Amino acid sequence: MPTVLIIDDDQKLLKMLSRTLIYENFDVITASNGQEAIQRIKLHKPDLLIVDWMMPKMDGLTLVRTLREDEDRTMVLMLTAKDEIENRVEGLEAGADDYLVKPFAPAELVARVHALLRRIDPSCDNQVLSFGNISLNLSTHEVTRCDRKIKLTLTEFNLLQYFLRHPRQVLERGQILTSVWGYDFGGDDNVLEIYIGYLRKKLEAGKEPRVIQTIRGVGYVMRED
């Protein structure tokens, strides 16, 4: 089980990210600033760091530079609200391996984490997720059912990916919205029903049986009747 260290002074975001990655079967540890993170890194030897840029005591950029100067090559995913090209270049040149701009959907974060870990060990994550006759390729974004190719939008792809990562598990509406649309989702609650409808229509276009089932009053589950 890969170990991920999340470093962020925003306790609400820290808890959300921890919950998301624990649910994805990662071993998660946390720190609220760069100085605390250095101690955690020495003690736990994590496989990957998720580092917020703006933090007290030692910011994320300084932390990454310090680690690289000490020849620590632990994979780093930088989180920041700074979305200008110059900021991205600065973060990458400091030694970050990838860069994610806030706000983001947890599904995107999970995908980035898996992609970074594949650089370390290509066998640590399957390139293809499948359930029954449905197959989703994480590298090529190709989706098929019974060898029938299915074209999905990015949101539809992320939604299907989430179901495929949690087959036969009853997923609550709020859990799905948070994981696919983002921790700060404030949109129309009906958006989930709308996209479930889109996804079902495409998955069932060849008269295949329904696999995304509604659990009334709770949410949805991917299963075969």
Side-chain angles (χ1 to χ4, degrees):
M1 180 184 297
T3 298
V4 178
L5 171 59
I6 309 171
I7 308 119
D8 200 311
D9 63 320
D10 182 338
Q11 293 302 308
K12 181 180 177 182
L13 180 58
L14 196 64
K15 289 179 182 178
M16 185 280 293
L17 294 178
S18 297
R19 188 166 57 246
T20 297
L21 292 177
I22 288 171
Y23 196 73
E24 295 290 336
N25 296 317
F26 290 99
D27 185 13
V28 177
I29 51 180
T30 63
S32 57
N33 60 67
Q35 291 180 358
E36 186 179 339
I38 289 176
Q39 298 174 358
R40 296 277 196 278
I41 292 167
K42 291 179 180 177
L43 181 63
H44 298 282
K45 307 292 184 185
D47 300 289
L48 183 140
L49 310 178
I50 298 176
V51 182
D52 185 45
W53 186 310
M54 302 299 294
M55 293 183 293
K57 296 185 179 180
M58 180 188 288
D59 62 43
L61 205 63
T62 303
L63 170 63
V64 174
R65 284 176 175 150
T66 300
L67 292 174
R68 298 315 188 219
E69 288 171 0
D70 291 340
E71 299 186 354
D72 185 321
R73 301 308 305 172
T74 305
M75 284 285 180
V76 173
L77 173 60
M78 182 78 78
L79 304 181
T80 180
K82 300 173 180 287
D83 61 353
E84 290 82 5
I85 295 297
E86 295 81 1
N87 296 129
R88 299 188 189 197
V89 171
E90 186 178 10
L92 295 171
E93 287 187 343
D97 298 284
D98 200 359
Y99 195 101
L100 192 56
V101 177
K102 300 177 183 178
F104 54 82
E108 182 178 6
L109 175 95
V110 170
R112 298 288 187 95
V113 168
H114 281 294
L116 286 172
L117 290 173
R118 281 198 297 271
R119 295 190 200 175
I120 303 170
D121 180 5
S123 67
C124 74
D125 183 36
N126 291 327
Q127 295 283 342
V128 177
L129 301 176
S130 62
F131 178 80
N133 51 23
I134 299 171
S135 178
L136 179 150
N137 190 304
L138 294 166
S139 296
T140 64
H141 274 224
E142 291 181 346
V143 176
T144 61
R145 186 171 191 185
C146 297
D147 296 324
R148 174 174 60 84
K149 291 186 178 181
I150 302 171
K151 291 185 178 180
L152 299 181
T153 66
L154 179 59
T155 300
E156 292 166 352
F157 182 90
N158 287 336
L159 182 58
L160 179 59
Q161 178 186 170
Y162 190 69
F163 277 111
L164 288 171
R165 288 192 183 278
H166 306 95
R168 304 182 186 87
Q169 297 181 33
V170 176
L171 304 173
E172 297 181 359
R173 286 173 43 82
Q175 178 183 347
I176 300 171
L177 285 168
T178 297
S179 298
V180 176
W181 275 267
Y183 68 94
D184 60 348
F185 176 76
D188 185 351
D189 285 348
N190 291 328
V191 71
L192 179 56
E193 282 76 15
I194 292 170
Y195 272 90
I196 290 289
Y198 292 158
L199 197 52
R200 281 173 170 167
K201 184 176 181 179
K202 292 182 179 182
L203 290 176
E204 300 165 16
K207 307 296 184 181
E208 298 91 348
R210 178 158 296 178
V211 291
I212 299 178
Q213 311 291 344
T214 301
I215 306 298
R216 295 193 181 281
V218 181
Y220 299 91
V221 60
M222 174 171 272
R223 70 185 181 199
E224 297 173 319
D225 284 340

